Amino acid sequence: MHRDVDPADDEFDVGGLLGADSRLSVRARLRLFHRVLAETKAPIGILDPRLRHVYVNPAMSAIDGRPASEQVGRSIAEGFPGLEVPEDLLRAVLADGVARETTISGVTTVHGLPQKRWWHAAYHRLDDESGVFGVVGILMETTRSRRTQLALDQAHRRLALLDRAALEIGTTLDTDTTCRELVELLVPVLADVVGVELLEPADPDQDSGRSRPAPDTVRLRRAAWTSIPELRHLGAVLGRPGEHIDYQPGADVARVVRTGATVVDNRPPDDRLRTTAPDASRVEVYREAGLHSALIVPLIARGEIIGSLSLIRAGSSPPFTEDDVEMARDLAYRAATCVDNARRYSREHGVALALQRALLSRPKVPHPDVELATRYLPAGRSAEVGGDWFDAIALPRGRTLLAVGDVMGHGVQAAVDMSHYRALLRVLAAGGLAPEEILVRADRMSQEAELERVATCLLVLIDPRAGISTFANAGHLPPLLIAPGGASRLLRLPTGPPLGTGCGGYASYIRPGVAGGVLILYTDGLVERRDEDIDASLARLASVRLASDAPLESLVDTILDRLVVPPVEDDIAVVAARLSDTGSVRER
């Protein structure tokens, strides 16, 4: 059994420590050595071969705030229960005498509070004449530098995650896709389970057939949910994306969407969890799955609460920290803006599309001599609804006026202006005007009405009795004529400026009507491609082999199948008209 060292003991030989020729006496040397051990800020301890303390200096005993008498004779785990014990390393030092260094950490009480601390530790074997005496450990505290490094690492991690969020969230204008991108970004980086719930912009129970929520409960729609693989089964229990969830009045999520406050609930007891969960029945499910901590952040966009972001940790994952809260808030802010943009886009897109569909209802066959087929394809995910339109107007003496046009730009305003242009043309056509005069007056009237956007337009007046077709073009692409037998060609018509410019300068061009032939009118979304010359685009349309005697619906479908590559980047309107081969129609 080893004993504490008495610095006054002459048997304690430290002559080699200060040099054999030192002028200090042994007692003076011992006192000096004792002062070094006692006054150094470096914790020093000596362990015997059984790894029990035989000596600790004041700095060492101060680590845990207990006197040396309670630490000498004990193992590291017994004397310093909050510290890591590098036993394998210590036994290796005892075995081969090679000094080793490592980093140890632990939780100790500082100023009455438990704190995580770090030390750099160096261990050396001590030998005497009888063999291995033990191991001396010298520590240097690195807590401050370690915390600084951890803070820098946390800041770097936060910036990296925010950079990823900027690239991976909001890649489309679909609300649920945006929410799904958010939850997939956060698992497992920040939580084990993540869900996004949204407040419905209007009462969904009006037409949904669902019962109304109980008084004081909050109903939200789960837009997205994901988890680590081990917890995927919870989706069926806790609610899948698309389902509506009713939260009891005291639930954390209900409080968040009502007040806009952030809620952190680390390891709540069961009695509290029964009041903060969506409903009390969830507690057993949470406990069985090992869910123990929750962080719920409001989704706020343009000052309005639109939903909540819920992060949950389970199993061995640590509780949420203040750094986690700040990270979640930053991500929620960015995601909320993207979600709100998607919701606004969806509403505007829906309004514009409904308006267009109302205005572009399939026209009836104007006269028996003219067969029609039409298509309208709204733009896909990358663009808003545009201002494309078509029309077929029955006129006296068996004549039919075909119109196709495209208002510049996209969105609700483009659809509204489209409705004005379409109405103008209908009113002017009813007055018996020639096509070029219709364009002249429509151009002037659109200026007087102060329509915000210009529009291209192509008019074709079909007169089966006269056997002619009269064309007038305001900046639009040329029509395609499919002659009997299948030969196709573009009708290169001189064109005037778009409507709404106030420039005028329109003219009519008369061509023979072709009995049995098919005339194709279309908007630019059918042919235009990015980084491609328009002439090449038109040549591709003219090269499509089409049968003039095929059913018109099938013919239009063939054109779309051959030319359109999803997703559609611009609206497409197509009108196909065929002159009946009757005695009243003659070819010139």
Side-chain angles (χ1 to χ4, degrees), residues 128-147:
D128 59 18
E129 64 278 1
S130 61
V132 176
F133 181 85
V135 176
V136 60
I138 304 173
L139 297 109
M140 177 175 291
E141 186 162 7
T142 58
T143 299
R144 179 176 297 179
S145 61
R146 186 61 181 263
R147 285 176 180 166

Side-chain angles (χ1 to χ4, degrees), residues 34-53:
H34 183 263
R35 284 189 61 188
V36 171
L37 292 177
E39 296 180 12
T40 181
K41 298 298 183 182
I44 299 174
I46 299 176
L47 300 161
D48 66 16
R50 295 185 303 158
L51 299 182
R52 295 183 177 276
H53 285 102

Side-chain angles (χ1 to χ4, degrees), residues 213-553:
D216 298 327
T217 62
V218 175
R219 174 170 291 176
L220 293 98
R221 183 179 67 85
R222 173 153 290 162
W225 185 94
T226 194
S227 72
I228 58 176
E230 298 86 340
L231 299 175
R232 294 278 164 79
H233 65 281
L234 292 177
V237 180
L238 304 181
R240 299 183 184 278
E243 295 182 5
H244 287 76
I245 302 173
D246 292 341
Y247 290 88
Q248 60 179 323
D252 286 339
V253 170
R255 181 151 54 99
V256 166
V257 298
R258 280 173 170 161
T259 66
T262 296
V263 171
V264 182
D265 213 355
N266 284 326
R267 303 191 184 279
D270 285 359
D271 56 348
R272 170 172 165 72
L273 197 53
R274 289 189 183 91
T275 63
T276 58
D279 60 73
S281 64
R282 296 282 183 95
V283 176
E284 185 176 349
V285 176
Y286 289 172
R287 294 311 188 201
E288 288 179 356
L291 309 184
H292 59 72
S293 297
L295 167 58
I296 305 170
V297 183
L299 296 176
I300 303 175
R302 298 175 176 88
E304 176 187 359
I305 299 173
I306 62 174
S308 66
L309 169 65
S310 299
L311 300 93
I312 301 173
R313 288 182 176 172
S316 61
S317 296
F320 290 101
T321 66
E322 285 299 318
D323 287 336
D324 296 328
V325 173
E326 291 303 313
M327 177 80 76
R329 282 175 174 162
D330 285 346
L331 291 168
Y333 173 77
R334 294 192 179 207
T337 301
C338 294
V339 171
D340 190 56
N341 288 339
R343 293 176 68 178
R344 288 171 179 265
Y345 166 81
S346 297
R347 288 196 294 267
E348 180 173 321
H349 187 272
V351 170
L353 192 57
L355 176 60
Q356 275 198 326
R357 284 175 174 166
L359 293 171
L360 295 179
S361 57
R362 184 185 298 271
K364 297 178 181 178
V365 176
H367 292 292
D369 294 325
V370 179
E371 180 186 356
L372 289 181
T374 61
R375 289 288 189 280
Y376 172 72
L377 298 181
R381 64 176 181 267
S382 62
E384 297 175 288
V385 70
D388 295 20
W389 87 89
F390 53 74
D391 207 348
I393 305 168
L395 299 175
R397 301 189 302 278
R399 296 174 302 156
T400 298
L401 181 67
L402 301 180
V404 65
D406 185 359
V407 174
M408 180 186 69
H410 299 86
V412 171
Q413 189 58 51
V416 170
D417 284 354
M418 175 269 288
S419 69
H420 288 308
Y421 281 114
R422 188 170 185 265
L424 274 176
L425 295 175
R426 276 188 161 267
V427 170
L428 294 171
L433 299 174
E436 80 277 7
E437 186 59 29
I438 293 175
L439 293 181
V440 169
R441 296 198 182 186
D443 181 51
R444 184 172 63 246
M445 293 173 71
S446 65
Q447 286 266 296
E448 294 171 354
E450 298 182 347
L451 297 184
E452 294 185 8
R453 303 166 188 251
V454 300
T456 63
C457 180
L458 174 64
L459 299 181
V460 184
L461 180 62
I462 300 175
D463 189 345
R465 295 180 182 178
I468 61 173
S469 296
T470 304
F471 297 80
N473 194 348
H476 205 77
L477 294 175
L480 179 72
L481 177 63
I482 308 171
S488 300
R489 62 190 177 97
L490 294 166
L491 300 181
R492 298 288 185 171
L493 305 170
T495 181
L499 300 176
T501 62
C503 296
Y506 306 106
S508 289
Y509 301 90
I510 300 175
R511 292 182 176 271
V514 180
V518 178
L519 193 64
I520 305 293
L521 283 63
Y522 53 91
T523 56
D524 56 9
L526 178 67
V527 295
E528 284 188 346
R529 300 289 181 271
R530 292 182 180 179
D531 304 322
E532 181 182 67
D533 185 79
I534 187 61
D535 288 334
S537 303
L538 292 172
R540 185 172 55 253
L541 169 62
S543 68
V544 176
R545 296 188 62 82
L546 302 164
S548 62
D549 58 350
L552 279 190
E553 299 288 343

